Amino acid sequence: MLKNKNIVLGVSGGIAAYKAVELLRLLKKAGAAVQVIMTENAAQFVGPMTFEALSEKQVCVNLFKDAGDASISHIRWADEADAVVIAPATANFVGKLAGGIADDALSTFIMAVTTPVLVCPSMNSNMYLSEAVQRNLKTIEKDGFGVLSPGSGELACGIEGPGRLPEPVVIFDRLVKLLKTDDLEGKRVLVTAGPTREPFDPVRFISNPSSGRMGYAIARAAEMRGAEVTLVSGPVEIDAPVNVEVVRTNTVDEMAEEVFARFDNTDIVIKAAAVGDYRPATAAEHKIKKDSETIDFSLVKNQDILRELGSRKKNQVLCGFAAETRDLQENAQKKLKEKNLDMIVANLVNCEGSGFRTTTNSVTLFSPGGKVEPLPNMEKTKLADIILDRIAGL
Ligand code: CTP
């Protein structure tokens, strides 16, 4: 995700400095080149050697001692950086940023940076809530710095409250967002994902193998591009994307209710959920005992959520999915037309590396007017952005 990106990781002297080590690992794993700059105090918490080994670059603590010609390197790093992340940012460091003080390597470097900076404050709760720190945080936000609010919980000093450095995966996620275009800024996006479950007794249900990966990837990508995202999700085992409202549902009727309630206030709907077409006509109140050799089921048709949205559509952009095992083009184009969609993402779900439970997908995009765009097999995370590119184009 950060291939060929130059990231500068600034570490100031808080107890959470150890979390910056994990953040560095994530950045490197994502393909970024990382230059670490630490304050002298940070080096009291975690030795520069650790960062050096993981970043494969000399760490700068002191402009006059480290990184060869570091007295000017900080200007080069500032020029080359695609983004900067300060984690943790202490009360003192936030104060320096707000006051324009440049008296060590990290604060001097920051002064020369023109690319996006994410500041991750972390400190004792009372310090964090103090007038001075709150004032300084407002100032730096006004100056254009991104600020990632700390989490709440038990802090190293033993008290409970805000001040905890968010987990490295969250910081990583927000840093990636900083580097994305915000072409969906101001748009309200509703995504559905995962399977539905229709119970036939209190402990059993009819469902399908959808993992939810495609829909979750779209929700995450849309949020990264600035959209306000709601994810109406069937039961899945993947983590919720950061800063996305997740509404959990089981049955088709539950999913339909949540989707319909939001539709009028939505600009874009992407229906990636694998919605069950039928449900048991009745569900037993108690667990069905295995007394008889066979059980006969009667199934009744579920409502088609997407078809209903298509008939209610005003200015919304509506994107559906089509899961097929044959006649992809014919079936997808039929659904596109009959459900009044602006785009349909069609995939053959019985192919290797495509469809349910895989991390990759092979799809063809169909739009009204006979437009057909076959795409190569790719990671669902990458496909999510291509789908959003086409939708943004609409
Ligand atoms: N869909 C829906 N409600 C349903 C069934 C499907 O909203 N009851 C949506 C899916 O989320 C998907 C699209 O309709 O975006 C197509 O789903 P798919 O299962 O491929 O097709 P169906 O319309 O169910 O038709 P069939 O099962 O006959 O192929």
Side-chain angles (χ1 to χ4, degrees), residues 17 27 29 33 39 60 65 94 105 111 113 139 144 161 172 213 229 234 236 248 252 264 290 324 352 370 377 381:
L27 294 169
K29 213 170 133 200
T39 64
C60 178
K65 286 197 204 132
V94 171
M111 211 59 83
V113 170
T139 301
F172 175 85
R213 281 199 188 97
V229 184
V236 297
R248 311 245 171 225
V252 176
D264 287 345
K290 58 174 188 295
E324 307 297 343
E352 179 113 355
N377 184 273
T381 46

Side-chain angles (χ1 to χ4, degrees), residues 71-245:
S71 55
I72 53 162
S73 291
H74 64 290
I75 302 295
R76 182 167 53 80
W77 294 330
D79 283 344
E80 288 173 357
D82 292 294
V84 177
V85 53
I86 311 289
T90 58
N92 180 49
F93 195 76
V94 171
K96 283 195 202 178
L97 284 180
I101 294 168
D103 65 351
D104 66 358
L106 186 55
S107 52
T108 307
F109 156 79
I110 281 283
M111 211 59 83
V113 170
T114 54
T115 43
V117 180
L118 181 66
V119 179
C120 308
S122 167
M123 62 201 74
N124 158 275
S125 296
N126 293 336
M127 288 168 86
Y128 176 70
L129 295 171
S130 70
E131 292 288 337
V133 168
Q134 289 302 313
R135 186 173 59 240
N136 288 336
L137 285 171
K138 277 195 200 105
T139 301
I140 67 169
E141 273 195 293
K142 223 164 72 219
D143 289 348
F145 290 97
V147 174
L148 179 60
S149 298
S152 277
E154 196 185 329
L155 302 176
C157 50
I159 68 164
E160 291 252 346
R164 237 176 124 99
L165 188 69
E167 289 311 308
V169 282
V170 175
I171 301 174
F172 175 85
D173 188 271
R174 296 299 84 186
L175 184 68
V176 171
K177 183 177 183 189
L178 222 57
L179 291 162
K180 293 267 182 185
T181 56
D182 48 10
D183 57 349
L184 294 180
E185 175 99 59
K187 298 286 177 216
R188 281 158 305 187
V189 176
L190 178 69
V191 183
T192 68
T196 52
R197 281 182 183 174
E198 300 294 346
F200 58 88
D201 80 5
V203 294
R204 304 183 184 96
F205 52 81
I206 299 177
S207 190
N208 61 64
S210 169
S211 65
R213 281 199 188 97
M214 191 67 245
Y216 274 61
I218 293 170
R220 179 171 191 240
E223 192 279 336
M224 290 262 179
R225 292 164 73 148
E228 196 184 305
V229 184
T230 300
L231 180 57
V232 178
S233 173
V236 297
E237 282 162 23
I238 37 183
D239 292 336
V242 177
N243 196 29
V244 166
E245 182 202 11

Side-chain angles (χ1 to χ4, degrees), residues 4-35:
N4 304 321
K5 296 287 181 204
N6 286 316
I7 306 294
V8 174
L9 169 60
V11 187
S12 64
I15 192 82
Y18 73 94
K19 284 192 184 170
V21 176
E22 182 58 20
L23 176 61
L24 170 57
R25 259 175 35 80
L26 293 175
L27 294 169
K28 289 291 289 179
K29 213 170 133 200
V34 188
Q35 173 64 53

Side-chain angles (χ1 to χ4, degrees), residues 271 273 275-277 303-306 320-323 335 339:
K271 279 217 86 263
V275 184
D277 291 329
Q303 56 181 319
D304 189 319
I305 307 172
L306 190 54
F321 274 68
K335 286 175 194 174
K339 301 195 186 193

